[in-house]
Amino acid sequence: MKLFKMDYWRSAILHAPFEQIIRQNGLDDIEMTFLPSCGNDGFLADPFGLWRDGKLYVFAEYYDYHQSKGVIDVLIYDETFTLLEHRTVLKEDWHLSYPYVFQHEGVTYMLPEGYKSDRLTLYKARSFPYEWEKVSSFVFPIGAIDATPLYHAGRWWLFWTPPEPKTCRQSTLHIALAEELTGPWCDLGRFLIDKSGARPGGTPFVEGGDVFLPVQDCSVTYGGGLRFLHLSGFEKGRPVLCGGEAVPLHTPTLKDYPDGMHTLSAAGKVTLVDFKKIRHGLRPAFFKLKKELLKK
């Protein structure tokens, strides 16, 4: 029964650049360093990161089962991947996840998912990495899920999944375009429906004029795996999907986290990822019942 099972995620640093993982189409023989466990009451997922002054800053969703809500944490590592600091840097009245962090024209931005606020909010670092402020000029009225920005071919692309209807959350990809990061954004509409590879799942990789977008395979279970969509050029104002459906990413079977992965992001010489374990028992039922009570 669904009541007695619950997803638990564990994030890790892969000691290989994003390009290597794409070229070998898998994680075999890649060393990894796991982010710290949060015990039985929460997890770290959706890791994104960047290097600054010899330190790796990993931003991730911290989900607290007791609160049934996510906040954004930062974990700071030195060059030997020793954890130096871990703290919460962004919280709102609504659930936050997928903290897509990127730099543009000398400014560090974060575009987290917060669809329960009914909008997509862009933040910029006021004092990196601890203080963030909303960019009021950014306007994207829909509460897009897992919105993934990319500056490519002289314009901004935004890959995203609609929050409604609920059935679209794991199966639908939209693409929007803009001349400036803050918009105005032109939604090209529904680009793809495919539960096995449409919802964004990490940083796009650009090679030549082609874009390779990590997407989630939710065909069996939410976040059951990752694939790559290959997009190339434009035809009648829309990008072209090459090779049909997305190509699966081969992953090793991890004894403790065998049930999936749903984020893969580039961070210089390393890559960040999260792995899934489905937990069964009375504890998942307790947290799910508590979540329902908090809604009332």
Side-chain angles (χ1 to χ4, degrees):
M1 295 177 60
K2 290 184 178 181
L3 179 63
F4 295 97
K5 66 179 184 179
M6 179 172 64
D7 291 348
Y8 180 84
W9 297 90
R10 185 76 183 271
S11 295
I13 302 167
L14 302 175
H15 296 269
F18 200 65
E19 298 93 314
Q20 177 182 334
I21 291 170
I22 289 179
R23 296 190 193 290
Q24 72 181 50
N25 192 37
L27 309 183
D28 293 325
D29 302 320
I30 294 178
E31 181 185 352
M32 64 180 71
T33 298
F34 280 97
L35 272 60
S37 169
C38 299
N40 292 323
D41 297 339
F43 58 75
L44 290 167
D46 290 340
F48 292 87
L50 51 84
W51 290 85
R52 182 170 293 183
D53 299 325
K55 295 177 182 177
L56 174 62
Y57 295 83
V58 179
F59 295 85
E61 168 202 352
Y62 169 63
Y63 187 84
D64 184 338
Y65 286 122
H66 291 285
Q67 301 298 322
S68 296
K69 177 184 166 186
V71 298
I72 305 304
D73 282 10
V74 68
L75 298 92
I76 306 174
Y77 290 85
D78 66 15
E79 290 184 317
T80 67
F81 301 100
T82 298
L83 180 61
L84 304 176
E85 189 174 359
H86 177 190
R87 70 159 83 171
T88 298
V89 295
L90 183 64
K91 59 174 64 176
E92 296 284 9
D93 293 335
W94 51 87
H95 171 78
L96 293 172
S97 62
Y98 202 79
Y100 196 104
V101 176
F102 62 103
Q103 298 184 86
H104 179 61
E105 296 182 343
V107 180
T108 304
Y109 293 97
M110 183 193 299
L111 189 64
E113 180 202 307
Y115 83 90
K116 291 186 178 179
S117 68
D118 295 323
R119 63 177 300 167
L120 183 63
T121 302
L122 178 68
Y123 299 79
K124 68 177 180 181
R126 183 169 60 228
S127 177
F128 183 86
Y130 307 114
E131 298 180 15
W132 299 83
E133 62 183 16
K134 296 176 182 177
V135 178
S136 59
S137 57
F138 178 85
V139 178
F140 195 87
I142 298 172
I145 289 178
D146 292 353
T148 300
L150 169 68
Y151 187 72
H152 172 60
R155 68 180 75 187
W156 283 94
W157 300 34
L158 191 71
F159 305 97
W160 58 282
T161 290
E164 299 297 338
K166 189 175 181 179
T167 53
C168 290
R169 295 178 189 172
Q170 297 179 19
S171 63
T172 304
L173 175 66
H174 281 240
I175 300 177
L177 298 174
E179 299 301 319
E180 304 290 340
L181 174 60
T182 53
W185 289 92
C186 175
D187 182 15
L188 301 181
R190 187 174 59 199
F191 179 75
L192 180 67
I193 298 177
D194 183 358
K195 201 167 184 179
S196 69
R199 176 168 167 161
T203 55
F205 173 70
V206 178
E207 184 173 58
D210 294 355
V211 175
F212 297 85
L213 175 70
V215 287
Q216 298 183 37
D217 184 348
C218 300
S219 57
V220 177
T221 178
Y222 167 66
L226 284 168
R227 294 172 174 248
F228 285 105
L229 278 181
H230 181 189
L231 308 175
S232 179
F234 280 83
E235 185 175 291
K236 296 181 180 180
R238 295 172 62 85
V240 177
L241 179 61
C242 300
E245 65 181 19
V247 177
L249 175 70
H250 180 261
T251 57
T253 300
L254 299 180
K255 178 182 177 182
D256 295 329
Y257 304 94
D259 299 314
M261 54 192 293
H262 73 351
T263 306
L264 187 74
S265 62
K269 62 184 180 181
V270 299
T271 305
L272 305 173
V273 67
D274 55 12
F275 298 101
K276 173 179 171 177
K277 176 180 182 178
I278 300 176
R279 288 180 168 172
H280 300 81
L282 293 176
R283 196 173 188 85
F286 166 76
F287 283 124
K288 288 187 176 182
L289 292 172
K290 186 174 182 178
K291 182 177 181 179
E292 291 303 313
L293 291 173
L294 288 172
K295 290 180 180 178
K296 297 179 180 180

